[in-house]
Amino acid sequence: MNFSTLCSLLVTLCLILIFQSPLPTKAGRSHVHHRLLGGGPDLIDKVCNETIEDYVLCQEVLRKDPEIVKAKNFTELAVVILKLGVKEAVEGQKFLKGLAMEKHVPVIEDCADDYDGVIRALRSSLGEMKYDMPAANYDARIAGDGADYCSTALVAAHIDNPKIFALNRRVSMIGFMAFNAMDKIGPE
């Protein structure tokens, strides 16, 4: 066997081994207590499995709220997530307005204003769920845009405030979690 044939055979063998090895899946991330009880992933797991980069935060946020944990289907889950989102966005805007008054930083004032759109989108989504699910789903999906704009503006202005970044990440993700829950609503 010449050298090039040997190399070709070795590369082929490596590729076969790579493609035959099992890939990690999101299913392995479900909480241990579900497996101990013999059940599969619950509603929260199914929603959080869609938030790939923020799975842990998703679990922390949703499991902390007893109303969310008690949801029996994706419609109930979406409603309580949206209500949580409105509450968090209103509190976040109040925090941002207070910080803007204290620090007199125009970017932070703009962030507080951006939260008007976040709150409006979450409330709209909540109301639209009763009669226009596609619009409700869309509004939930874009609800976090204002928080994302705020983070982008802070970075551009070279402002490093971990509290604001954490708030923006959480509020943005809550809208996305509601979107994920609504996306799973079917015949329940």
Side-chain angles (χ1 to χ4, degrees), residues 16-46:
I16 289 171
L17 289 173
I18 289 170
F19 287 116
Q20 292 299 319
S21 64
L23 295 174
T25 64
K26 291 187 236 175
R29 294 189 290 188
S30 294
H31 276 333
V32 172
H33 69 271
H34 298 299
R35 279 181 262 160
L36 291 175
L37 295 173
D42 65 358
L43 296 174
I44 293 172
D45 287 326
K46 290 177 183 176

Side-chain angles (χ1 to χ4, degrees), residues 43-185:
L43 296 174
I44 293 172
D45 287 326
K46 290 177 183 176
V47 167
C48 290
N49 279 337
E50 301 295 320
T51 58
I52 297 165
E53 69 280 348
D54 289 322
Y55 179 83
V56 173
L57 180 61
C58 178
Q59 289 283 337
E60 288 171 5
V61 169
L62 297 185
R63 294 202 184 277
K64 188 186 256 186
D65 188 309
E67 292 302 310
I68 291 173
V69 174
K70 286 191 269 182
K72 293 177 183 71
N73 56 50
F74 287 113
T75 302
E76 288 180 17
L77 184 62
V79 167
V80 290
I81 291 173
L82 287 168
K83 287 179 179 177
L84 173 67
V86 169
K87 179 180 170 254
E88 296 255 344
V90 167
E91 289 172 1
Q93 185 180 49
K94 185 177 177 182
F95 164 73
L96 290 168
K97 284 181 177 180
L99 195 59
M101 296 269 295
E102 176 187 320
K103 302 285 184 187
H104 304 290
V105 178
V107 174
I108 297 175
E109 291 171 14
D110 292 344
C111 284
D113 292 340
D114 288 339
Y115 269 69
D116 285 334
V118 173
I119 295 164
R120 188 172 34 257
L122 291 168
R123 285 182 175 154
S124 291
S125 182
L126 195 54
E128 290 162 343
M129 280 187 70
K130 298 173 187 126
Y131 63 89
D132 189 353
M133 190 56 79
N137 203 344
Y138 174 78
D139 281 340
R141 181 66 182 101
I142 65 162
D145 288 355
D148 293 338
Y149 297 147
C150 174
S151 290
T152 302
L154 291 172
V155 169
H158 305 289
I159 296 173
D160 183 23
N161 186 314
K163 278 188 163 183
I164 298 175
F165 283 113
L167 168 68
N168 289 337
R169 180 174 173 223
R170 186 176 169 101
V171 167
S172 179
M173 196 170 83
I174 289 172
F176 188 66
M177 290 184 290
F179 165 80
N180 286 337
M182 278 187 256
D183 206 39
K184 292 172 180 13
I185 295 173

